[in-house]
Amino acid sequence: MATIGFIGLGNMGGPMLANLVKAGHTVRAFDLSADALARAETAGASRADTAAAAADGADVVITMLPAGQHVRAVYMGEGGVIGAARSGALLIDCSTIDVDSARAVATAASDAGLLMVDAPVSGGVGGAEAGTLTFMVGGPDAAVEAAHPILEIMGKAVVHAGGSGTGQAAKICNNMMLGIQMLSVCEAFMLAKRLGLDAQKLFDVSSKASGQCWSLTTYCPVPGPVPTSPANRDHAPGFTATMMLKDLKLAQDAAATNDAATPMGAAAAGLYSLFCNQGHGGMDFSGIIRMIDGQS
């Protein structure tokens, strides 16, 4: 069993930490939120007063943070993880951030004699709670091999995408596809509604035909066809519209930097920006069907 420092205990980090504790690991938790720390203690973790204290002497340090600037600060800033971690420790960043930040932090970790992987996740809060996340992992072979046993506690699939930063590249490409696909499914159901085609009948056809995709068969944006989808909970989030917009913006920034044409991704980012600006950022991203339907 390992001693693990876990930094960032939000909607995803909290349940991920709980699964590590259930597996028998000793976990020291840090977050700026007192409520999040209290939940971590209830799950069986101990409380650290700073990020450096969580990392001090730990075998593994895991972070789940909002954006690249937070990851840079926590790892490379004054009192950061890289300065506090013991030699040879394994660092796992599960945040979804820009590729440049991921590579900058990985280089700093390597220079300090530490192993590091970027390991963003797919699967949402439900996957975090169930331990069924998919990890897209970037980093050197030795670091990825060391990370596998830890990641497998929290997820059902661990895919080594390549060198440092490629986990982030895989995540933003995947979520750009997801954002575009969800919009296409929403548009199709709203067209069907206006054509007098029952939503269940469209689902029955498309789930077995060429329109089949995860946004339809697992996360259907209309109530009924998929009982576990957020549409049956008034679009309460699994994965918020704000988080989808963040990932779409990361994809657009990467496309601009690397001269990649992503017109559908740009259109998706624009629509999710409009939806969030209407005050719906805290709703599940599938809730954008309401805007497409003309609802307020």
Side-chain angles (χ1 to χ4, degrees):
M1 294 295 104
T3 297
I4 301 172
F6 204 114
I7 301 164
L9 308 171
N11 291 337
M12 296 292 291
M16 291 165 68
L17 172 147
N19 285 326
L20 293 169
V21 173
K22 289 175 187 176
H25 294 289
T26 299
V27 183
R28 293 198 300 260
F30 175 72
D31 194 278
L32 295 176
S33 165
D35 289 343
L37 282 171
R39 288 191 294 271
E41 287 183 303
T42 299
S46 62
R47 179 188 297 241
D49 293 329
T50 64
D56 185 23
D59 303 304
V60 182
V61 180
I62 301 173
T63 48
M64 177 61 91
L65 300 166
Q69 65 264 33
H70 306 108
V71 172
R72 287 177 183 261
V74 165
Y75 280 99
M76 301 166 64
E78 183 177 353
V81 167
I82 288 175
R86 67 168 180 80
S87 179
L90 170 65
L91 312 179
I92 303 174
D93 180 38
C94 294
S95 318
T96 297
I97 61 172
D98 60 286
V99 174
D100 288 345
S101 290
R103 288 176 174 160
V105 174
T107 297
S110 178
D111 290 346
L114 305 169
L115 297 173
M116 185 165 192
V117 297
D118 51 285
V121 305
S122 179
V125 174
E129 292 172 345
T132 57
L133 295 169
T134 294
F135 289 91
M136 295 149 270
V137 188
D141 291 346
V144 175
E145 183 177 353
H148 252 274
I150 300 297
L151 298 177
E152 287 173 347
I153 294 167
M154 300 181 287
K156 66 178 180 179
V158 179
V159 180
H160 186 187
S164 296
T166 58
Q168 299 296 346
K171 175 65 185 289
I172 62 176
C173 290
N174 178 78
N175 276 24
M176 183 176 72
M177 285 190 279
L178 175 61
I180 294 167
Q181 288 164 358
M182 179 55 75
L183 288 165
S184 74
V185 173
C186 290
E187 289 186 358
F189 273 100
M190 291 304 94
L191 175 59
K193 175 181 176 180
R194 285 155 177 78
L195 293 173
L197 174 61
D198 180 73
Q200 183 65 54
K201 297 300 183 183
L202 175 60
F203 179 86
D204 292 344
V205 170
S206 294
S207 63
K208 300 175 181 64
S210 54
Q212 190 279 328
C213 63
W214 187 91
S215 293
L216 173 69
T217 56
T218 300
Y219 228 68
C220 186
V222 298
V226 179
T228 56
S229 79
N232 298 287
R233 305 188 306 272
D234 200 29
H235 292 105
F239 185 63
T240 67
T242 295
M243 295 303 293
M244 173 54 76
L245 178 58
K246 170 197 166 185
D247 291 355
L248 289 167
K249 285 181 175 179
L250 286 172
Q252 286 305 293
D253 289 345
T257 301
N258 293 278
D259 195 27
T262 56
M264 295 298 293
L271 287 167
Y272 274 99
S273 180
L274 180 60
F275 186 58
C276 291
N277 286 337
Q278 291 175 344
H280 304 305
M283 187 179 291
D284 190 82
F285 82 103
S286 60
I288 199 168
I289 194 168
R290 299 183 182 192
M291 186 178 80
I292 293 171
D293 193 29
Q295 301 176 33
S296 59

